Amino acid sequence: MAGLISASTREQIRAASDIVDVIGSYLPLKRAGANFVALCPFHKEKTPSFHVNPHRQTFHCFGCHKGGDVFTFVKEYESLDFPEALRRLAERAKIPLEYERGSAEPQTRHLKDTLWQIHEQITQRWQSALANEASGQIARDYLDKRGVTADAVKLFRLGYAPDLWDDTVNWARSKSHELALVEKAGLILRKEGGENFYDRFRGRLIFPICDEQGRVIGFSGRILSGDEKAAKYVNSPETPIFTKSKVFFGLDKSKRALLDAEYAIVCEGQLDLIACFMAGVQNVVAPQGTALTADHTRILKRYVEEVVLCFDSDEAGQNAAVRSLDHLLASGLAVRVAVVPSPHDPDSFIKASGAEAFKGLIERAEGFFDFYLNRLCATNEVTTDKGRLAVLRGMAEAIHKTANVVLIDKYAQKTALRLGVTPDATRAEFRKLSRSGPKFFATASEGSDERDEVAEPQRPSTHEYWLLKLLLTHDELLGWAVAHLDADWVQHPLVKQIVSQRLAAHTVESWSSLAAFLGEFEAPEAQNLITEATAEERALPNPEQQLADVALRLRNQFIERKLAGMMLQLNQPQTSEDERNDLLRQQQELRLLKRVPLSAHETGA
């Protein structure tokens, strides 16, 4: 989608978005020499390691190694995709977006903009009905009964949809909205076999559902009357701006708290989340319903490494925690489960016992497999053969999904202890009962030394890193580099790609700025490496000689690798005599080449 916006427009937006001004609107920046520094917003730290370079229009954190240009910062900080970050900066700079010819994006974007506008307007209408209209008294009474404060009502923009069949229909007409468009927004329904419409939300307390940027994209309406035939909740259908499986209630308000806490509490409903949030436990989200989807876990993974499930204490809530396992494991999130004492849910527990008691409940949350073992033992009669087999089967199927031999052995022992059998017998049964099919690798649910280490991207060698630094910070060296340097001498794949593109940009005279060059790389690892190499403003003594020395070292290492490869070929029994003679000749040429000063030979050794 980013490609649908013309390159000239993207560069105009970049030029109008000074990175110090933009980042300074999010973070308190302090000048440090030629740069600015701040506490990094992407990881917890006490000493500033986040640097903003106004000259190069880039940022880099020396703690978590995240870096990029102004688009990258807005994209990462606001959890936007690139087109949305581009739009956000265009709006800030008051630059109209121009799309490439043949793009359907303007029409799609216009539809979404209109739907966002309709959702915002109806939110305000329902807020007014809750606050001011006599018909909203039933909702006000309900909120008082549930202990929802006026501050919470205001913060979460709660509303009331009047108990009428045509209130939203008439409101839409008064705003001159096409009813077909309001139908597409999911707010009204078409009567069967006719052209008339009626309201989807009637006589309900309204919870606006927002995207990560705080825009209202859908609604959940709770029934307030005692009509047993009506559904307890009515939710917005899927629309061009709302996909239920990809949205968390409350994430727009809790995303900074998630980053600070480094774990997410997942609860079941809107009122649970509001109670937690207003009690000071703000690293909390709620899926729309109890089903946690793969999309949900991917969203959480952007913010945290660990999840604490805190569903209702009833059977449905506990089953929902169990069903969440597969997706959580597949995402690599560590999982704990906080069990709210029956008959409470998080909301009623906080009302009854207070915020500190709830925080303690979260802190004491046990690892998922301990929770699951306890649940299996509580729901099966472990004194009978049937009950013991059920526990064995359940634990075997769950624990083998991790494909973690340490966890499998640990919980074989724990299961054996609970069932009063030997660990060896349990291990044998685990092997027999392990479910075939896809295995998911996950971090251990209890953290620390049992978590699988995520492999860090391999660092380039010192010489390759300095080559990158010299080529990106000294434009005057590019002429010599193009004439004497071969990118094939570089082993690290990202450094090789960056060096190749930098040399090409000089050759075709397409270089404009480092920030624009960053935009050519989609991989965040490449952007991080570029910003790290260019973040320090140290003056390098005699950069021309340093580049020549680094290039010579890399060339000779390249020659040594080729010589080693040839030696392996010479030692192969299937190598013919002619091939041996050719290899020996090439070896001699390469050894002679190592003695030649770099500036005196052609590239492509």
Side-chain angles (χ1 to χ4, degrees), residues 283-295:
N283 55 317
V284 59
V285 293
Q288 298 305 302
T290 56
L292 203 63
T293 68
D295 287 320

Side-chain angles (χ1 to χ4, degrees), residues 200-506:
R200 180 184 296 275
F201 299 96
R202 305 181 304 278
R204 291 177 180 269
L205 176 66
I206 298 295
F207 297 88
I209 302 165
C210 299
D211 62 15
E212 291 177 55
Q213 289 75 61
R215 296 172 299 201
V216 181
I217 57 174
F219 300 97
S220 182
R222 193 195 193 284
I223 194 169
L224 296 170
S225 65
D227 187 353
E228 295 182 358
K229 295 181 181 179
K232 185 176 180 181
Y233 281 92
V234 167
N235 299 310
S236 290
E238 304 266 310
T239 72
I241 61 172
F242 177 63
T243 304
K244 179 180 176 180
S245 65
K246 298 181 179 180
V247 176
F248 279 110
F249 179 77
L251 181 57
D252 60 307
K253 297 172 181 63
S254 65
K255 57 186 180 181
R256 298 310 306 173
L258 296 181
L259 291 169
D260 292 340
E262 299 181 329
Y263 71 94
I265 302 166
V266 180
C267 61
E268 188 172 336
Q270 291 96 346
L271 287 171
D272 289 333
L273 181 140
I274 291 171
C276 293
F277 198 92
M278 301 309 290
V281 183
Q282 298 187 346
N283 55 317
V284 59
V285 293
Q288 298 305 302
T290 56
L292 203 63
T293 68
D295 287 320
H296 283 138
T297 58
R298 280 192 289 270
I299 292 168
L300 288 175
K301 186 68 174 174
R302 298 207 306 260
Y303 293 95
V304 297
E305 294 295 329
E306 183 181 47
V307 165
V308 178
L309 300 176
C310 188
F311 292 157
D312 291 354
S313 58
D314 59 17
E315 191 72 10
Q318 298 303 288
N319 286 338
V322 174
R323 288 196 305 271
S324 303
L325 176 66
D326 282 6
H327 293 316
L328 290 166
L329 287 183
S331 68
L333 287 161
V335 191
R336 292 188 289 141
V337 181
V339 179
V340 182
S342 181
H344 289 296
D345 55 27
D347 177 30
S348 65
F349 182 82
I350 290 171
K351 300 291 193 299
S353 304
E356 291 306 314
F358 182 74
K359 291 175 184 177
L361 198 71
I362 297 300
E363 290 171 3
R364 295 190 301 274
E366 58 190 352
F368 178 87
F369 294 107
D370 288 309
F371 155 78
Y372 192 46
L373 179 57
N374 289 334
R375 178 163 172 76
L376 286 171
C377 290
T379 54
N380 293 279
E381 183 52 68
V382 296
T383 59
T384 67
D385 290 342
K386 178 182 178 183
R388 282 191 289 268
L389 281 172
V391 173
L392 280 169
R393 185 176 295 110
M395 284 301 295
E397 289 181 354
I399 198 67
H400 275 276
K401 291 175 184 176
T402 69
N404 184 312
V405 293
V406 175
L407 281 180
I408 292 169
D409 187 70
K410 172 182 176 179
Y411 282 97
Q413 295 182 57
K414 286 195 171 190
T415 305
L417 185 63
R418 293 294 295 270
L419 298 181
V421 298
T422 68
D424 286 342
T426 306
R427 291 187 190 101
E429 286 302 307
F430 268 28
R431 285 192 291 271
K432 284 163 54 179
L433 294 170
S434 61
R435 185 180 71 179
S436 61
K439 301 284 193 286
F440 299 126
F441 290 84
T443 51
S445 58
E446 294 182 5
S448 66
D449 58 355
E450 287 183 359
R451 289 189 182 181
D452 294 337
E453 292 294 328
V454 178
E456 289 289 329
Q458 184 181 0
R459 292 284 300 170
S461 69
T462 301
H463 291 99
E464 292 184 354
Y465 178 78
W466 275 94
L467 173 67
L468 195 64
K469 190 174 187 67
L470 288 161
L471 294 183
L472 293 176
T473 57
H474 289 272
D475 293 351
E476 72 277 9
L477 302 180
L478 266 296
W480 186 92
V482 168
H484 299 95
L485 182 69
D486 190 334
D488 283 341
W489 299 344
V490 178
Q491 281 190 288
H492 193 280
L494 283 181
V495 176
K496 185 174 183 178
Q497 180 190 4
I498 296 165
V499 167
S500 296
Q501 290 187 221
R502 181 64 187 97
L503 296 177
H506 180 81

Side-chain angles (χ1 to χ4, degrees), residues 27 39-44 50 59 61 64 66-67 72-78 256 259 303:
L27 309 173
L39 292 174
C40 181
F42 304 115
H43 80 289
K44 292 183 74 172
F50 181 86
F59 73 90
C61 175
C64 66
K66 190 181 289 291
T72 309
F73 179 84
V74 173
K75 175 174 166 286
E76 294 290 334
Y77 190 92
E78 294 281 5
R256 298 310 306 173
L259 291 169
Y303 293 95

